Structures are given as C-alpha cells and as structure tokens.
Amino acid sequence: MAWKELQRGAHGMIGEKSLEPGRPIPHLRWWMAALLFASTVINYIDRQTLSLLAPYLKQDYHWTNTDYANLVIAFRVAYSIGQTLCGRLMDRIGTRRGLILSVLWYSLVSILTPLARGFYSFASFRFLLGAGESANWPGATKAVSEWFPKRERGLATAVFDSGSSVGSAVAPFLVLTVYFRWGWRPAFVLPGLLGLLWLMVWRRTYHTPQQHPRIGEAERQMILADVYAPDVKTSGPKPGWAELLTLPQTWGTIVAKGLTDPVWFFVTDWFPIYLVAKGIPLKSSLLAIWVPFIASDLGNFFGGAASGYLIKRGWSLGAARKALVVFGGFGVLLLIPTVLTFNLWAIVVLFSLATFSYAAFSTIANVLPSDLFFSESVASVSGMSGTGAGIGTIIAFELIGYFSDARQAAAAHSFDPIVMVAGMVPFVAMILVLVLVRNTRATEEGLVRRI
C-alpha cells in the first residue's frame, strides 16, 4: 500500500520517530489540526519580523518604500515559485516528510538572518525564507484532506489558517519587545528557535490515520470512510499540472487566493507603515496593530463553522462554501471608508471588519482544493493557488511601493488609492469564484469531486 511505502521512505536523513502504541487519544484529528495551527503561528511570526522592524531598519539602512517593497518581493518570488513546486513535492513524498524539510529549512534561514549586512544580503535571506515557508499551506491543506471528513474540513482549515492572524497578532509583542531590549538580530533568531522546537514535536507525532498508533478505531473508520473511499478511481491517470490547468475548478481555486491574499499581505506587511503615514506613532499603537489580526482569527473560525453548519442544515457543499465567499467579497469593501478618517480607532474598526470578512473568504479559498480534488492532487492545486497569490502579491507590492513613494507629497493621503483598490479586488474574486467553481463535465469524468 502507498502509505506503507511512505512510512518506509521516511527513514534516512530525516529519521523516523513515532509514538509508541498505547491508549487511544480522543479526537486525535483535532490535535493534528492544533499542530498545523502552531506551525502557521510560527510561520507568521517569522515572516512578520521584517515588516514590524521595517520602520526602524528603513532609517538605519536608508531604504525607501520601493527598497522595502523589493525586500518583500524577494520573499514573494521564492514563495510563489515554491508553493507550486512544494505542493507537487508534498503529493509525492507525503505531508510529514514535506513539512519536516520545510520547517527545518526556514528555521535555519531565520537563525542565520543576523548575518545580513545590507539590502542585498537581506534580500537573499528573504528569498531563502520564502522558499522554505512556501510548503506550509499546501502541506497543511493536504493534512486536512487526510485527517478530516468534508463536513469538518472548513473548520479544520480555519484552525490552521487562523494561525496566520494569531501569529501576526503575537508578533508585535514578541518581536518589538526583543528589538527594543536587544536589537534587531535576536528578534530574527527567536522565530527560528520556535520552528526547531515545533519540528521536534511534529517528527514524533504526525502520521496519517492509517498509520497512527494512538488513534481510536472508531475515529479511524470515520475518517477513512469519508476521506479515502471517494478517492478510488475506476480509470484514468493521475492528472498532471497541464491537465489540472485546463479545469475551471483549478482556476477558481487560483482566483480565490490570487485576488484576496494580496490584500491580506498588504495589511500584514504594510499596516505599520500605513499608520505612520497617517501620522499615528507606531510605538503607541501596538494594540491597534494587534486588533485587526484578532478579527481575522475570528473570521477564520466564522467561515469554517458557518459553512459546516450550512452543510449540516442540508445545503450542498458548493452552496455552503459560496455563501461565505459572497460574505467575504462584500465585507472587504469596508477598507474603502478608511480613506475618510485619521482617527486611529475608526481605522482599526474598519480594518478589523474587513479582515474578519477576508478571513472567512480565505478559509473557503484554502479548503476548496480538498473539496474539489482527489488526494493525489490536493497539495498540487493548493500550491498552484498559492503561486497565484504570490504573483498577485508581487504585482501589488511593486505598485504599492511605487505609488506610495510617488505620492509622498500627499502625506497622510499617500495610501488612499491603494486602500481603495485593496477593498475592491476581493469583490472581483468573489464574482469569478461563483462563475468558475461548479460541477462540469470534468466532474462527470471523475477528474474532480462533485461540489
């Protein structure tokens, strides 16, 4: 069987440590979700370090907004390419080994970042960090497809995806506290050490439901009956990248992230700079930075729980997912009124409502690959959607850097056009997802699941 071959293949340079057979752990699948959540938290603390320190590093190294945008883009280029490549790799070597390699890579890069001495060395480290971190979402999405039935996938996805907002909310307190006391170099080392700690737990704990020695038999059978039985195909080869890209469902998943994630990354990577441009001191607004990310965390759970509730109420899988897409598309429009105010808490409230709505949309965007595709293609399609998000973010950040520098004379209004576009783009994504994600001839041919 494939999973036995995977278990044998896990030996070698990575090593194989596992739990000893023993008393079953109740609700073990949610412990797996908690591990994925922790990985995402650390992932986001790691990537947020630069954006939080940007206002200070810009002064120390005399970077412009365009310079900073290019540093972020160095990360995004590697992250974008890596998502598709790592997604395919995950489908080949498995979730466990794939995430071991990923977390080990980016933790070491983070620990070595203090060796940077200027723009080009920072850009190199950010590129390497992006390559390592790119496997997190394809890997987590594949893990959810392995461990959760469809009625729980939305909530399970919300659990790990909420790690992005929790990590972003925690990062200011950890990173800036370390920075103000010890400087920027220890601030970059800290998330790398957290990653190595997580890796020790993951290597020992994560296995598929077929392999895990501590899963109860009832839970195992419940998972396998829903997750694996529908994956049995009667004919036809496993679809490759080219065949997957001919399917509207694939493009629906790409659009769902490609036109929404850039808005989130604008918030995570530019919000401190945006507040400073509005004339709001960063040191006195740590709580303000924190609140939109907590709102996003709540939005993740709302999206996952609400779609699961609708399915239990008899809605089709597609209708339940699309209802949350519509909610998110309209909700992110609330970014637009922020251009009319300079009040810190008015900005925070509007950003919070928008990030709550974005996160509900994002949860559905992340769960679509496991809803639509069979096990051997889930990480590949998730990686493609991540690459789409990366390309969209690179384009967005180039434009943000250029226009914010070009409009510096407008002072506090320099970001107004950027924020207005950020509010409208997810609405366009909503429309495209409603059109592309549907049952087609490919559904009848068994290339994708019925939604």
Side-chain angles (χ1 to χ4, degrees), residues 3-73:
W3 58 83
K4 290 183 179 179
E5 294 173 6
L6 173 60
Q7 190 178 41
R8 288 195 296 270
H11 293 281
M13 74 168 185
I14 295 176
E16 178 74 24
K17 290 189 177 182
S18 62
L19 294 173
E20 295 296 327
R23 186 175 180 180
I25 300 173
H27 309 295
L28 183 60
R29 63 195 184 280
W30 293 107
W31 288 101
M32 299 299 109
L35 272 176
L36 299 171
F37 164 80
S39 172
T40 306
V41 169
I42 296 167
N43 189 290
Y44 258 77
I45 293 173
D46 205 352
R47 71 175 68 182
Q48 281 295 100
T49 303
L50 178 63
S51 65
L52 288 164
L53 299 180
Y56 309 104
L57 292 174
K58 280 177 64 183
Q59 293 181 359
D60 293 344
Y61 291 97
H62 308 291
W63 296 335
T64 65
N65 281 342
T66 300
D67 291 330
Y68 172 65
N70 287 330
L71 287 176
V72 177
I73 287 168

Side-chain angles (χ1 to χ4, degrees), residues 114-347:
L115 297 175
R117 291 295 180 267
F119 175 82
Y120 291 104
S121 54
F122 265 104
S124 298
F125 278 112
R126 297 310 287 182
F127 183 89
L128 293 172
L129 189 72
E133 290 192 357
S134 64
N136 188 77
W137 261 257
T141 301
K142 186 173 178 66
V144 167
S145 75
E146 291 171 344
W147 271 92
F148 289 88
K150 64 183 179 183
R151 68 181 181 275
E152 294 180 345
R153 269 183 229 135
L155 187 56
T157 299
V159 169
F160 85 73
D161 195 35
S162 69
S164 61
S165 50
V166 171
S168 298
V170 169
F173 297 96
L174 290 178
V175 172
L176 292 177
T177 298
V178 172
Y179 170 76
F180 290 132
R181 184 162 185 176
W182 293 294
W184 68 264
R185 289 178 175 84
F188 278 97
V189 171
L190 175 63
L193 296 178
L194 293 175
L196 294 179
L197 180 63
W198 179 89
L199 190 60
M200 294 170 61
V201 179
W202 175 261
R203 289 184 66 228
R204 181 172 177 80
T205 305
Y206 188 87
H207 300 279
T208 61
Q210 297 97 322
Q211 296 171 306
H212 209 291
R214 301 293 296 275
I215 187 172
E217 192 58 32
E219 185 176 17
R220 190 198 312 271
Q221 293 304 319
M222 182 271 290
I223 293 169
L224 298 184
D226 190 88
V227 176
Y228 287 91
D231 287 352
V232 178
K233 294 185 179 182
T234 57
S235 63
K238 179 170 66 175
W241 279 332
E243 188 172 7
L244 288 170
L245 287 171
T246 65
L247 305 175
Q249 293 90 338
T250 301
W251 287 103
T253 63
I254 292 172
V255 164
K257 286 183 69 68
L259 295 183
T260 57
D261 275 16
V263 177
W264 171 245
F265 293 128
F266 165 65
V267 176
T268 61
D269 291 344
W270 290 88
F271 193 46
I273 294 174
Y274 172 74
L275 291 177
V276 171
K278 283 278 192 178
I280 299 168
L282 187 61
K283 194 168 183 178
S284 63
S285 58
L286 285 181
L287 183 62
I289 296 174
W290 180 68
V291 173
F293 297 118
I294 293 301
S296 174
D297 195 24
L298 297 174
N300 281 127
F301 286 100
F302 171 78
S307 64
Y309 173 78
L310 293 176
I311 291 170
K312 290 179 182 179
R313 295 282 294 178
W315 288 43
S316 69
L317 182 63
R321 302 302 195 219
K322 288 179 180 180
L324 274 298
V325 168
V326 171
F327 172 85
F330 277 96
V332 181
L333 292 172
L334 290 170
L335 284 177
I336 296 174
T338 62
V339 305
L340 303 175
T341 181
F342 294 91
N343 181 275
L344 172 61
W345 289 105
I347 293 171

